[in-house]
PDB file of all heavy atoms in Angstrom:
ATOM      1  N   ARG A   1       0.847  -1.191  -0.021  1.00 84.00           N
ATOM      2  CA  ARG A   1       0.004   0.017  -0.010  1.00 84.00           C
ATOM      3  C   ARG A   1       0.882   1.253  -0.017  1.00 84.00           C
ATOM      4  O   ARG A   1       1.379   1.692   1.040  1.00 84.00           O
ATOM      5  CB  ARG A   1      -0.942  -0.030   1.194  1.00 84.00           C
ATOM      6  CG  ARG A   1      -1.703  -1.346   1.287  1.00 84.00           C
ATOM      7  CD  ARG A   1      -2.538  -1.463   2.544  1.00 84.00           C
ATOM      8  NE  ARG A   1      -3.769  -0.684   2.489  1.00 84.00           N
ATOM      9  CZ  ARG A   1      -4.603  -0.516   3.451  1.00 84.00           C
ATOM     10  NH1 ARG A   1      -4.361  -1.100   4.654  1.00 84.00           N
ATOM     11  NH2 ARG A   1      -5.715   0.202   3.281  1.00 84.00           N
ATOM     12  N   LEU A   2       1.144   1.754  -1.172  1.00 84.00           N
ATOM     13  CA  LEU A   2       2.224   2.733  -1.390  1.00 84.00           C
ATOM     14  C   LEU A   2       1.785   4.172  -1.242  1.00 84.00           C
ATOM     15  O   LEU A   2       2.637   5.047  -0.961  1.00 84.00           O
ATOM     16  CB  LEU A   2       2.825   2.520  -2.786  1.00 84.00           C
ATOM     17  CG  LEU A   2       3.262   1.096  -3.173  1.00 84.00           C
ATOM     18  CD1 LEU A   2       3.863   1.101  -4.551  1.00 84.00           C
ATOM     19  CD2 LEU A   2       4.248   0.578  -2.116  1.00 84.00           C
ATOM     20  N   GLY A   3       0.489   4.461  -1.484  1.00 88.00           N
ATOM     21  CA  GLY A   3       0.046   5.831  -1.558  1.00 88.00           C
ATOM     22  C   GLY A   3      -0.291   6.469  -0.252  1.00 88.00           C
ATOM     23  O   GLY A   3      -0.615   5.799   0.740  1.00 88.00           O
ATOM     24  N   VAL A   4      -0.252   7.799  -0.248  1.00 90.00           N
ATOM     25  CA  VAL A   4      -0.597   8.573   0.942  1.00 90.00           C
ATOM     26  C   VAL A   4      -2.091   8.468   1.200  1.00 90.00           C
ATOM     27  O   VAL A   4      -2.889   8.443   0.263  1.00 90.00           O
ATOM     28  CB  VAL A   4      -0.155  10.033   0.820  1.00 90.00           C
ATOM     29  CG1 VAL A   4       1.342  10.158   0.730  1.00 90.00           C
ATOM     30  CG2 VAL A   4      -0.810  10.711  -0.406  1.00 90.00           C
ATOM     31  N   ARG A   5      -2.464   8.382   2.472  1.00 91.00           N
ATOM     32  CA  ARG A   5      -3.829   8.294   2.888  1.00 91.00           C
ATOM     33  C   ARG A   5      -4.050   9.032   4.239  1.00 91.00           C
ATOM     34  O   ARG A   5      -3.124   9.075   5.035  1.00 91.00           O
ATOM     35  CB  ARG A   5      -4.289   6.858   3.054  1.00 91.00           C
ATOM     36  CG  ARG A   5      -4.334   6.046   1.775  1.00 91.00           C
ATOM     37  CD  ARG A   5      -5.446   6.549   0.844  1.00 91.00           C
ATOM     38  NE  ARG A   5      -5.585   5.644  -0.302  1.00 91.00           N
ATOM     39  CZ  ARG A   5      -4.936   5.770  -1.424  1.00 91.00           C
ATOM     40  NH1 ARG A   5      -4.016   6.779  -1.567  1.00 91.00           N
ATOM     41  NH2 ARG A   5      -5.125   4.957  -2.448  1.00 91.00           N
ATOM     42  N   LYS A   6      -5.238   9.582   4.418  1.00 93.00           N
ATOM     43  CA  LYS A   6      -5.559  10.321   5.618  1.00 93.00           C
ATOM     44  C   LYS A   6      -6.310   9.472   6.654  1.00 93.00           C
ATOM     45  O   LYS A   6      -6.328   9.806   7.841  1.00 93.00           O
ATOM     46  CB  LYS A   6      -6.383  11.529   5.314  1.00 93.00           C
ATOM     47  CG  LYS A   6      -5.664  12.539   4.408  1.00 93.00           C
ATOM     48  CD  LYS A   6      -6.600  13.716   4.123  1.00 93.00           C
ATOM     49  CE  LYS A   6      -5.903  14.777   3.279  1.00 93.00           C
ATOM     50  NZ  LYS A   6      -6.789  15.918   2.983  1.00 93.00           N
ATOM     51  N   GLU A   7      -6.974   8.406   6.229  1.00 94.00           N
ATOM     52  CA  GLU A   7      -7.825   7.663   7.116  1.00 94.00           C
ATOM     53  C   GLU A   7      -7.045   6.650   7.958  1.00 94.00           C
ATOM     54  O   GLU A   7      -6.184   5.941   7.485  1.00 94.00           O
ATOM     55  CB  GLU A   7      -8.905   6.941   6.282  1.00 94.00           C
ATOM     56  CG  GLU A   7      -9.817   7.819   5.507  1.00 94.00           C
ATOM     57  CD  GLU A   7      -9.199   8.280   4.195  1.00 94.00           C
ATOM     58  OE1 GLU A   7      -8.131   7.824   3.812  1.00 94.00           O
ATOM     59  OE2 GLU A   7      -9.827   9.117   3.485  1.00 94.00           O
ATOM     60  N   GLN A   8      -7.382   6.636   9.227  1.00 94.00           N
ATOM     61  CA  GLN A   8      -6.694   5.710  10.159  1.00 94.00           C
ATOM     62  C   GLN A   8      -6.886   4.263   9.719  1.00 94.00           C
ATOM     63  O   GLN A   8      -5.937   3.451   9.864  1.00 94.00           O
ATOM     64  CB  GLN A   8      -7.241   5.860  11.550  1.00 94.00           C
ATOM     65  CG  GLN A   8      -6.980   7.215  12.167  1.00 94.00           C
ATOM     66  CD  GLN A   8      -7.513   7.338  13.590  1.00 94.00           C
ATOM     67  OE1 GLN A   8      -7.155   6.498  14.465  1.00 94.00           O
ATOM     68  NE2 GLN A   8      -8.318   8.325  13.821  1.00 94.00           N
ATOM     69  N   LYS A   9      -7.991   3.947   9.131  1.00 95.00           N
ATOM     70  CA  LYS A   9      -8.236   2.551   8.756  1.00 95.00           C
ATOM     71  C   LYS A   9      -7.387   2.078   7.570  1.00 95.00           C
ATOM     72  O   LYS A   9      -7.318   0.919   7.312  1.00 95.00           O
ATOM     73  CB  LYS A   9      -9.732   2.385   8.329  1.00 95.00           C
ATOM     74  CG  LYS A   9     -10.136   3.183   7.113  1.00 95.00           C
ATOM     75  CD  LYS A   9     -11.617   2.979   6.807  1.00 95.00           C
ATOM     76  CE  LYS A   9     -12.075   3.828   5.618  1.00 95.00           C
ATOM     77  NZ  LYS A   9     -11.338   3.501   4.407  1.00 95.00           N
ATOM     78  N   GLU A  10      -6.704   3.012   6.922  1.00 94.00           N
ATOM     79  CA  GLU A  10      -5.830   2.693   5.849  1.00 94.00           C
ATOM     80  C   GLU A  10      -4.461   2.247   6.331  1.00 94.00           C
ATOM     81  O   GLU A  10      -3.617   1.843   5.480  1.00 94.00           O
ATOM     82  CB  GLU A  10      -5.692   3.839   4.871  1.00 94.00           C
ATOM     83  CG  GLU A  10      -6.956   4.233   4.170  1.00 94.00           C
ATOM     84  CD  GLU A  10      -7.367   3.205   3.106  1.00 94.00           C
ATOM     85  OE1 GLU A  10      -6.491   2.384   2.686  1.00 94.00           O
ATOM     86  OE2 GLU A  10      -8.504   3.189   2.679  1.00 94.00           O
ATOM     87  N   TYR A  11      -4.200   2.302   7.600  1.00 95.00           N
ATOM     88  CA  TYR A  11      -2.882   1.968   8.137  1.00 95.00           C
ATOM     89  C   TYR A  11      -2.948   0.642   8.901  1.00 95.00           C
ATOM     90  O   TYR A  11      -3.897   0.348   9.582  1.00 95.00           O
ATOM     91  CB  TYR A  11      -2.384   3.101   9.050  1.00 95.00           C
ATOM     92  CG  TYR A  11      -2.075   4.303   8.246  1.00 95.00           C
ATOM     93  CD1 TYR A  11      -3.072   5.216   7.881  1.00 95.00           C
ATOM     94  CD2 TYR A  11      -0.744   4.563   7.811  1.00 95.00           C
ATOM     95  CE1 TYR A  11      -2.778   6.327   7.087  1.00 95.00           C
ATOM     96  CE2 TYR A  11      -0.488   5.677   7.044  1.00 95.00           C
ATOM     97  CZ  TYR A  11      -1.483   6.549   6.696  1.00 95.00           C
ATOM     98  OH  TYR A  11      -1.199   7.647   5.907  1.00 95.00           O
ATOM     99  N   ASP A  12      -1.863  -0.166   8.794  1.00 93.00           N
ATOM    100  CA  ASP A  12      -1.848  -1.482   9.304  1.00 93.00           C
ATOM    101  C   ASP A  12      -1.023  -1.658  10.548  1.00 93.00           C
ATOM    102  O   ASP A  12      -1.224  -2.565  11.332  1.00 93.00           O
ATOM    103  CB  ASP A  12      -1.285  -2.437   8.212  1.00 93.00           C
ATOM    104  CG  ASP A  12      -2.045  -2.369   6.930  1.00 93.00           C
ATOM    105  OD1 ASP A  12      -3.220  -2.818   6.935  1.00 93.00           O
ATOM    106  OD2 ASP A  12      -1.540  -1.849   5.947  1.00 93.00           O
ATOM    107  N   TYR A  13      -0.052  -0.784  10.801  1.00 93.00           N
ATOM    108  CA  TYR A  13       0.837  -0.856  11.938  1.00 93.00           C
ATOM    109  C   TYR A  13       0.905   0.498  12.641  1.00 93.00           C
ATOM    110  O   TYR A  13       0.885   1.540  12.007  1.00 93.00           O
ATOM    111  CB  TYR A  13       2.268  -1.245  11.484  1.00 93.00           C
ATOM    112  CG  TYR A  13       2.302  -2.475  10.632  1.00 93.00           C
ATOM    113  CD1 TYR A  13       2.487  -2.366   9.274  1.00 93.00           C
ATOM    114  CD2 TYR A  13       2.181  -3.765  11.203  1.00 93.00           C
ATOM    115  CE1 TYR A  13       2.483  -3.496   8.435  1.00 93.00           C
ATOM    116  CE2 TYR A  13       2.192  -4.876  10.370  1.00 93.00           C
ATOM    117  CZ  TYR A  13       2.371  -4.752   9.019  1.00 93.00           C
ATOM    118  OH  TYR A  13       2.390  -5.869   8.235  1.00 93.00           O
ATOM    119  N   TRP A  14       0.987   0.416  13.987  1.00 95.00           N
ATOM    120  CA  TRP A  14       1.013   1.631  14.797  1.00 95.00           C
ATOM    121  C   TRP A  14       2.060   1.570  15.878  1.00 95.00           C
ATOM    122  O   TRP A  14       2.323   0.521  16.451  1.00 95.00           O
ATOM    123  CB  TRP A  14      -0.337   1.804  15.460  1.00 95.00           C
ATOM    124  CG  TRP A  14      -1.458   2.139  14.492  1.00 95.00           C
ATOM    125  CD1 TRP A  14      -2.139   1.223  13.750  1.00 95.00           C
ATOM    126  CD2 TRP A  14      -1.946   3.424  14.132  1.00 95.00           C
ATOM    127  NE1 TRP A  14      -3.076   1.900  12.975  1.00 95.00           N
ATOM    128  CE2 TRP A  14      -2.946   3.227  13.187  1.00 95.00           C
ATOM    129  CE3 TRP A  14      -1.653   4.721  14.546  1.00 95.00           C
ATOM    130  CZ2 TRP A  14      -3.646   4.301  12.603  1.00 95.00           C
ATOM    131  CZ3 TRP A  14      -2.310   5.789  14.001  1.00 95.00           C
ATOM    132  CH2 TRP A  14      -3.335   5.564  13.059  1.00 95.00           C
ATOM    133  N   GLY A  15       2.664   2.727  16.148  1.00 97.00           N
ATOM    134  CA  GLY A  15       3.585   2.824  17.213  1.00 97.00           C
ATOM    135  C   GLY A  15       2.901   3.130  18.530  1.00 97.00           C
ATOM    136  O   GLY A  15       1.665   3.235  18.566  1.00 97.00           O
ATOM    137  N   GLN A  16       3.650   3.286  19.606  1.00 97.00           N
ATOM    138  CA  GLN A  16       3.100   3.472  20.913  1.00 97.00           C
ATOM    139  C   GLN A  16       2.796   4.941  21.238  1.00 97.00           C
ATOM    140  O   GLN A  16       2.072   5.217  22.227  1.00 97.00           O
ATOM    141  CB  GLN A  16       4.065   2.930  21.971  1.00 97.00           C
ATOM    142  CG  GLN A  16       5.223   3.842  22.328  1.00 97.00           C
ATOM    143  CD  GLN A  16       6.254   4.009  21.286  1.00 97.00           C
ATOM    144  OE1 GLN A  16       6.309   3.278  20.314  1.00 97.00           O
ATOM    145  NE2 GLN A  16       7.147   5.004  21.443  1.00 97.00           N
ATOM    146  N   GLY A  17       3.294   5.849  20.443  1.00 97.00           N
ATOM    147  CA  GLY A  17       3.073   7.256  20.647  1.00 97.00           C
ATOM    148  C   GLY A  17       4.207   7.941  21.360  1.00 97.00           C
ATOM    149  O   GLY A  17       4.929   7.316  22.130  1.00 97.00           O
ATOM    150  N   THR A  18       4.355   9.241  21.113  1.00 97.00           N
ATOM    151  CA  THR A  18       5.288  10.082  21.838  1.00 97.00           C
ATOM    152  C   THR A  18       4.643  11.399  22.106  1.00 97.00           C
ATOM    153  O   THR A  18       3.956  11.969  21.281  1.00 97.00           O
ATOM    154  CB  THR A  18       6.585  10.231  21.047  1.00 97.00           C
ATOM    155  OG1 THR A  18       7.550  10.989  21.858  1.00 97.00           O
ATOM    156  CG2 THR A  18       6.390  10.981  19.752  1.00 97.00           C
ATOM    157  N   GLN A  19       4.773  11.900  23.368  1.00 98.00           N
ATOM    158  CA  GLN A  19       4.056  13.072  23.764  1.00 98.00           C
ATOM    159  C   GLN A  19       4.789  14.328  23.370  1.00 98.00           C
ATOM    160  O   GLN A  19       5.947  14.486  23.538  1.00 98.00           O
ATOM    161  CB  GLN A  19       3.907  13.063  25.305  1.00 98.00           C
ATOM    162  CG  GLN A  19       3.146  14.257  25.892  1.00 98.00           C
ATOM    163  CD  GLN A  19       1.702  14.283  25.448  1.00 98.00           C
ATOM    164  OE1 GLN A  19       1.072  13.228  25.369  1.00 98.00           O
ATOM    165  NE2 GLN A  19       1.172  15.481  25.162  1.00 98.00           N
ATOM    166  N   VAL A  20       4.020  15.254  22.772  1.00 98.00           N
ATOM    167  CA  VAL A  20       4.505  16.573  22.435  1.00 98.00           C
ATOM    168  C   VAL A  20       3.675  17.580  23.239  1.00 98.00           C
ATOM    169  O   VAL A  20       2.411  17.572  23.123  1.00 98.00           O
ATOM    170  CB  VAL A  20       4.389  16.883  20.937  1.00 98.00           C
ATOM    171  CG1 VAL A  20       4.712  18.335  20.667  1.00 98.00           C
ATOM    172  CG2 VAL A  20       5.327  15.958  20.181  1.00 98.00           C
ATOM    173  N   THR A  21       4.369  18.425  24.028  1.00 98.00           N
ATOM    174  CA  THR A  21       3.609  19.455  24.748  1.00 98.00           C
ATOM    175  C   THR A  21       4.237  20.803  24.441  1.00 98.00           C
ATOM    176  O   THR A  21       5.435  21.011  24.535  1.00 98.00           O
ATOM    177  CB  THR A  21       3.782  19.199  26.278  1.00 98.00           C
ATOM    178  OG1 THR A  21       3.232  17.907  26.612  1.00 98.00           O
ATOM    179  CG2 THR A  21       3.039  20.253  27.060  1.00 98.00           C
ATOM    180  N   VAL A  22       3.403  21.730  24.035  1.00 98.00           N
ATOM    181  CA  VAL A  22       3.816  23.072  23.652  1.00 98.00           C
ATOM    182  C   VAL A  22       3.202  24.036  24.649  1.00 98.00           C
ATOM    183  O   VAL A  22       2.023  24.170  24.741  1.00 98.00           O
ATOM    184  CB  VAL A  22       3.358  23.422  22.246  1.00 98.00           C
ATOM    185  CG1 VAL A  22       3.923  24.785  21.805  1.00 98.00           C
ATOM    186  CG2 VAL A  22       3.828  22.319  21.247  1.00 98.00           C
ATOM    187  N   SER A  23       4.101  24.726  25.362  1.00 97.00           N
ATOM    188  CA  SER A  23       3.637  25.662  26.354  1.00 97.00           C
ATOM    189  C   SER A  23       3.468  27.061  25.772  1.00 97.00           C
ATOM    190  O   SER A  23       4.100  27.403  24.768  1.00 97.00           O
ATOM    191  CB  SER A  23       4.628  25.726  27.509  1.00 97.00           C
ATOM    192  OG  SER A  23       5.906  26.248  27.095  1.00 97.00           O
ATOM    193  N   SER A  24       2.581  27.830  26.384  1.00 93.00           N
ATOM    194  CA  SER A  24       2.361  29.172  25.926  1.00 93.00           C
ATOM    195  C   SER A  24       3.225  30.186  26.639  1.00 93.00           C
ATOM    196  O   SER A  24       3.378  31.333  26.201  1.00 93.00           O
ATOM    197  CB  SER A  24       0.868  29.536  26.102  1.00 93.00           C
ATOM    198  OG  SER A  24       0.499  29.439  27.462  1.00 93.00           O
TER     199      SER A  24
END
């Protein structure tokens, strides 16, 4: 599956996440 997609259902593998916090 080579093409760019926006829908979550189009993706097969997921990472655990990394937190980004932007302070004001």
Side-chain angles (χ1 to χ4, degrees):
R1 307 174 78 185
L2 309 182
V4 295
R5 294 290 188 274
K6 297 180 179 179
E7 298 82 6
Q8 295 182 56
K9 65 181 177 60
E10 294 288 343
Y11 292 82
D12 304 290
Y13 309 102
W14 292 83
Q16 81 289 347
T18 185
Q19 180 66 37
V20 172
T21 302
V22 184
S23 65
S24 60

